[in-house]
Amino acid sequence: MATEEFTDAIALLKADHRKVEDLFEAFESAGAGKKQAIAEQICTELKIHATIEEEIFYPALQGKIDDDTLDEAYVEHDGAKVLINDIMAGSPDDQYYEAKVKVLSEEIKHHVKEEEMPSEGMFAQAREAGVDLVALRDQLLARKQELTALAKNGGLPPATLTAVRLEPA
């Protein structure tokens, strides 16, 4: 994961998107014995991706792109995190396991489409606003490497919600 692989932060984030799309496809065609490992890899990739976006990328865009775009991204992440935590705590024997992975895939496709949409999407807005995407790439990559190492050495904690409350106020 050298910085030269990615021209900027958007290239890094798009590479993450493609990797997860491939994993969802692999899950669909996998035999029963491999589904859990693939689902767990999907969840780990998404937890790392959401963390670097929420800790570094989204704050760098605050006040520079449309507020509604950022707000929706945080809420979409939280919807995905609820499913991620549930999938990670479950197994393919659970009644709704495959349905949860399928719905997570659909939520992620929607989120990616909104981020990558030409002209109106978050990435296009970031470019238009003149955000230093090369400096952001370096920050994102460093944090991603830390989280990847953590995931390999015992795992990441459950994903924490940012914008959604599960309990009544």
Side-chain angles (χ1 to χ4, degrees), residues 137-155:
R137 171 203 62 198
D138 297 344
Q139 294 172 47
L140 291 168
L141 192 57
R143 183 64 173 133
K144 182 174 179 173
Q145 288 169 337
E146 288 172 11
L147 293 166
T148 301
L150 186 62
K152 287 179 183 167
N153 297 326

Side-chain angles (χ1 to χ4, degrees), residues 79-111:
K81 289 175 192 176
V82 169
L83 286 170
I84 288 166
N85 288 340
D86 216 30
I87 292 164
M88 292 295 281
S91 79
D93 298 332
D94 295 346
Q95 181 178 3
Y96 299 109
Y97 189 83
E98 289 201 33
K100 290 173 187 174
V101 176
K102 178 69 174 170
V103 170
L104 178 62
S105 171
E106 291 167 356
E107 286 185 7
I108 297 304
K109 278 182 190 149
H110 170 83
H111 179 70

Side-chain angles (χ1 to χ4, degrees), residues 65-66 69 113-129:
I65 71 166
D66 180 58
T69 300
K113 181 181 174 193
E114 289 198 340
E115 283 188 341
E116 295 185 6
M117 197 180 337
S119 74
E120 299 154 28
M122 179 183 290
F123 294 169
Q125 288 183 48
R127 282 198 197 287
E128 192 173 310

